[in-house]
Structures are given as structure tokens and as C-alpha cells.
Amino acid sequence: MEKKRLDDYEQGPVPSPRAVDRFGFVKPDNTSDGLIKSRSAYEYERYKEERRVRKWRKMIGVGGSDWKHYLRRKPHVVKRRIRKGIPDCLRGLVWQLISGSRDLLLMNPGVYEQLVIYETSASELDIIRDISRTFPSHVFFQQRHGPGQRSLYNVLKAYSVFDRNVGYVQGMGFLAGLLLLYMSEEDAFWLLVALLKGAVHAPMEGLYLAGLPLVQQYLFQFECLVREHLPKLGEHFSNEMINPSMYASQWFITVFSYSFPFHLALRIWDVFLYEGVKIVFKVGLALLKYCHDDLVKLPFEKLIHALKNFPGNAMNPDTLLPLAYSIKISKRLEELKQEYEKKTGKGARELSEKPMLPGESN
Amino acid sequence: MGRGAEEEYDYLFKVVLIGDSGVGKSNLLSRFTRNEFCLESKSTIGVEFATRTLEVEGRSVKAQIWDTAGQERYRAITSAYYRGALGALLVYDVTKPTTFENVTRWLKELRDHADANIVIMLIGNKTDLKHLRAVATEDAQGYAEKEGLSFIETSALEATNVEKAFQTILSEIYRIISKKSLSSTPHPSSATVKEGKTITVGESQSTTTTTSCCSSSS
């Protein structure tokens, strides 16, 4: 599977013996772990975590066998539990179940291998150039030509062949990289397909197609939502000539996986895969809301800096996510989409209505 | 980003960093604004932004620099940032001929989206990779002359010529601006520019500013 040579590199960082956090990211040198929890608090958390895992195991059954049944009977329970966070040891499996990628994989045996081994892609060099620039501080992706970099390359190359209209676009690597930390290459590939082609939710390939039509639409929607939900800040933004493309394009293009703390990104992804892109808007609004009183005082440059460097307490999933859930936008989001489509003529993408999933089309 | 006293300056110049993906734009920027080079840098998604205030021809100039994603498809987002820019640093990688060949396309991009009199500087980056060099200095020099661009070779890694590159383009912009304001406004120092707004070459006033409110909170 890894016959492709990866020697056209720039500086490949050598794997370092530095300390890593629980997710495998190299800790910054000056790391001060901040809160050192007492032993009993730690024990209690572990106990809670174990109880949660047991509940989850019961819910999904062996290898996911009970999942669909449970989902049909108790969708609200599933939603509530997912919002609390999927246990890390089950995350990979559950992500595949809720995204619909498991079904795609079963319907398309051998397809991934075919794409990786036999096909060539026009994007190969572009992909290689970015491999060492994707999660460069994670041990799995640090080793030059190591298993992490090889699987990242394979998944991206396979996708660029699978959908030659999309090909490879910077940012996709962060999606694939995040997935690869929780599942095999082939699974990660099909999850990428499920997302971009829209197995469960609206397809997201428009984020990467020529003209980045979906990015433009999302930014339009987001700007309107900011003005409606946070009018004072919205006005401040327009006075300072700040528009969301300056700070939020990364949020949408990589679903918060580019620069947000990893534990927060994972929690967002749990909800994102189950509830769809709505959560990206909600989290974005929640961040602005949380920091509102500081942001409205800042002039242009400091504002941009602040919007790219939210303080640690704003990024705590247990405060940020409940705030995000409390923001209701579904209806308005849909209206704004139609408004955008009217404004731009045809709509961001006609083909987004009709997902073309392998296995379904034949 | 700097702090404190950086708020005072005479001029504010907006400059964009463009060029193919992977040529080292973000590291040129971090070398210039923070004197840092990151071996483990991520590819830029969308746009990034940084500033630095420095002395140019005896005046204090704040450079407001927009760093853009290099991949072609991102131009849908990044080309909006050319508007109002007084300068463009067009970067290629001296070890990758295609990035030099694409300079022509980037120039066209600028002609289509930027102000007509934008100052453009061609930069050949990564001169530290001597054994891998694939674009000759003379070729790039000749091309730059033909197209009327300034030209310099840099190494963001070794901090070679980075300061000089920015100094040169900012001086050039300054010369144009001061000529303009000299001919149109008798007292350029009385005009003010709100922080965040940018000066357009074509505008007559609007060159000097002194902002001193808002202490830094970072």
C-alpha cells in the first residue's frame, strides 16, 4: 500500500523524545499543566469514565451490531450522550457508525485498495508537499515516511482520485489526519467520502471545489448570524472592517481541527458527525459570545489577533459546548442559505442536493 | 505581535505575501515580524495577518502584512485581500522551478485584482538549500527587470536578506506615497488614518497617523 515514494520533502522533523499529551501531541517546552488534580478527583473521574464506557458499549453492541436499533428507538438519548462526549476508546468506531461511513465501506469492498495502489493522481506532488505540514507536532505524523505520514498520503491520494473534481485541497489533510488518529486508512477514507459526499448530512465537498462555494456560503451565513445574535459585536466588526474570512474560514474548512486544542476539536467532531455542520456555526458564535465583552473593546489589529487566539478558558469544552448548544440557529441557517442562493444566482452547488454515493448510484 | 509602544507610527502600509504553496511565505513573515522560524509549520489555510513597525527613511512605518494560502483554489478567498494593498511580495522557491514559472500567473492575478500601481517585489526564498538550487539568480533578476519588479533572494531559515526585502519594498512604497502627498497636501502630518484602514496610493490625503490609545492586552 505504500509504494509511493515520499522523498520530495522539505525539512522532515525527526521524531523527538519530547513528552506528549494524552492525544500524542508534543507538549510545548514550557508546559505547565496548570491544574494538577487531587488523587481523589482523578479517581472519581476515572470511575465516571468507566461507567460511561459501559453504557456506551451496551448502546452500540459488539462491533456496532446494536447501534441502528438503538438509534431508531432512542435518538434523543443518543444525541444527549454524544453531546457529552464519546468515550475516547470508542470514538473511532462510533464516528464510523454515526457518519454512515461503515455502510459505505461494506458496500464498496476493495475500492480503497484499488484507488491507492493502481490509480495515479494529478495532486500527488501537492499532497506530498503538505504531508509534513499536517499536525507537525503530533508524534504519529512526525516521523518522515513513517506510518502516519504514509497513511495520510494514501488517504488523500485515494480521495483525490475518487473525486477528481475536488482532487486535493489544503485543509483536507487536517480532516484526514484527525480521523487517522482514530481509525485505519480505509475507514478514514470512507468517512471522508461520507462527509464530502453527504451520506447523512448535506455534502460538504463545496468547501473544496473550485471557487470554494460552500466556504463563501458559510461565511455569509455566519456573518449574518453574528449580526443577529451579537448585534453590538457585529457592529463593532463592521466598524473595524473585520469580516469572517479573516478568522473563520479555517473553522469551516477544517472543522476546528487546524488550530484548536485537540480535546476541544474532538468533542466538536463528536457532535459534528451526528448533528452536522450546524455545530460549527454554534461553536463559532459561542466563542464570540464568551469573549464578547473583550472583543467589542479591541481595535482592528488586536481584534484579529484575539479572534485567532482565544483564551484557554474560552476553549474549555465543558463551558463552551453547553453555551453552543443553547444557541438556536437551525431555522435561520436555512433561511440564510436561501437568501445566499438568491443573492448569488443559482445557489452554491446544485449537485449538493443529489449526493452520489458509490453503491447507491448503481 | 508586539506590544505597548508599537502603537505609534507615521504611516501604515498594507502589504500582501503571495506565491505558490510551500515557498516559505509564512516563515518569511514570522522571521520579519517576530524573528522566528518554525521548522514544524502548518500549511496556511485562508489568510494570516501580522504587523511590525519599523523605521523607513527616517519615518516610522507600520507594515500590515497579509499572508495568504498559496494553493490555487484558495484564490477565491485570498484575492479579496489584494485590494488596497500598496505592496506585494511575490515569493518563489529557488529550489523549485515550477514555483518560479508560476510567477507569471501570480502577476496576472495581481493585475486582475490589485490596484494598478501596487509595488511588487519578487523574492527567491530558501537560498540556504544551496545544493538544491534550481533557479539561477540571473534568470530571476532578468525576469524581474523585464517586468519592472524589484528582486531579492532570501533565506527565512538563516535570516538572510529578510529584513532587507521588507525594508526595500516599504521604502519604495514610502517614496511613492510621499511624492503623492507632497504634491497634493501641504501638511501631510495633519491627516490621520484610523488604525485598520489602509492607505491607497491614489488617495490624496491620509498618510500620517498617531494612535496612542488602547494599551496592549496581550
Side-chain angles (χ1 to χ4, degrees), chain A residues 134-146:
Chain A
T134 309
F135 292 124
S137 66
H138 194 285
V139 279
F140 185 56
F141 298 111
Q142 273 190 332
Q143 192 189 345
R144 199 170 160 171
H145 306 219

Side-chain angles (χ1 to χ4, degrees), chain A residues 18 27-34:
Chain A
R18 282 181 285 168
K27 287 184 180 173
D29 292 333
N30 57 349
T31 188
S32 59
D33 257 344

Side-chain angles (χ1 to χ4, degrees), chain A residues 10-11 13 18 129-130 133 136-137 142 165-166 168-171 174 208-212 215-216 240-241 243 245-246 250 253 258-259 300-302 304-305 308, chain B residues 1 7 12 21-22 39-49 51 62 64 66 69-71 73-74 76-77 81 96 126 194-197 214-218:
Chain A
E10 288 162 22
Q11 322 79 9
R18 282 181 285 168
R129 189 196 50 221
D130 285 339
R133 305 200 293 162
S137 66
Q142 273 190 332
N165 283 330
V166 167
Y168 165 72
V169 182
Q170 291 182 325
F174 289 88
Y208 305 111
L209 286 167
L212 312 182
V215 181
Q216 317 252 27
E240 294 297 321
M241 303 205 288
N243 73 65
S245 84
M246 293 171 183
Q250 290 169 1
I253 292 170
Y258 181 75
S259 59
F300 180 77
E301 277 167 27
K302 293 203 170 104
I304 291 204
H305 184 73
K308 296 233 171 187
Chain B
M1 217 169 276
E7 293 304 328
L12 176 66
S21 178
L39 272 173
E40 298 181 355
S41 60
K42 294 185 237 179
S43 33
T44 304
I45 309 287
V47 290
E48 296 286 345
F49 170 86
T51 61
K62 179 173 209 161
Q64 185 188 80
W66 292 91
Q71 201 182 5
R73 212 160 296 180
Y74 275 95
I77 295 181
Y81 289 82
K96 300 239 163 63
K126 305 197 190 179
K194 191 173 184 301
E195 199 183 353
K197 300 224 175 104
C214 308
S215 64
S216 163
S217 57
S218 65

Side-chain angles (χ1 to χ4, degrees), chain B residues 11-57:
Chain B
Y11 292 88
L12 176 66
F13 294 163
K14 174 177 165 184
V15 174
V16 287
L17 262 167
I18 59 170
D20 278 8
S21 178
V23 298
K25 297 180 291 296
S26 301
N27 270 317
L28 279 169
L29 180 62
S30 67
R31 177 60 82 195
F32 176 64
T33 55
R34 301 193 301 274
N35 197 19
E36 282 172 14
F37 183 92
C38 184
L39 272 173
E40 298 181 355
S41 60
K42 294 185 237 179
S43 33
T44 304
I45 309 287
V47 290
E48 296 286 345
F49 170 86
T51 61
R52 192 182 133 190
T53 304
L54 66 165
E55 192 99 337
V56 175
E57 317 269 330

Side-chain angles (χ1 to χ4, degrees), chain A residues 52 55 79-86 267 325:
Chain A
R52 225 157 52 89
K55 269 198 222 169
K79 181 172 168 179
R80 197 179 63 225
R81 285 191 183 160
I82 286 177
R83 284 184 166 200
K84 286 186 191 162
I86 300 168
R267 291 284 304 276
Y325 302 148

Side-chain angles (χ1 to χ4, degrees), chain A residues 231-256:
Chain A
K232 200 171 152 197
L233 186 62
E235 202 194 323
H236 182 57
F237 279 171
S238 52
N239 288 340
E240 294 297 321
M241 303 205 288
I242 294 275
N243 73 65
S245 84
M246 293 171 183
Y247 61 95
S249 17
Q250 290 169 1
W251 297 354
F252 291 108
I253 292 170
T254 69
V255 192
F256 288 111

Side-chain angles (χ1 to χ4, degrees), chain B residues 62-135:
Chain B
K62 179 173 209 161
Q64 185 188 80
I65 305 149
W66 292 91
D67 177 24
T68 60
Q71 201 182 5
E72 184 157 356
R73 212 160 296 180
Y74 275 95
R75 291 184 204 169
I77 295 181
T78 54
S79 61
Y81 289 82
Y82 304 165
R83 213 174 316 124
L86 297 176
L89 296 165
L90 203 179
V91 189
Y92 68 92
D93 175 347
V94 297
T95 72
K96 300 239 163 63
T98 49
T99 66
F100 178 63
E101 286 151 24
N102 284 337
V103 164
T104 312
R105 291 163 71 181
W106 284 107
L107 284 176
K108 184 177 179 313
E109 232 356 65
L110 284 174
R111 258 177 248 127
D112 291 347
H113 299 278
D115 300 337
N117 31 14
I118 188 170
V119 178
I120 305 169
M121 175 171 226
L122 182 66
I123 295 185
N125 189 35
K126 305 197 190 179
T127 54
D128 49 284
L129 299 171
K130 292 184 186 70
H131 56 300
L132 295 174
R133 180 187 278 272
V135 180

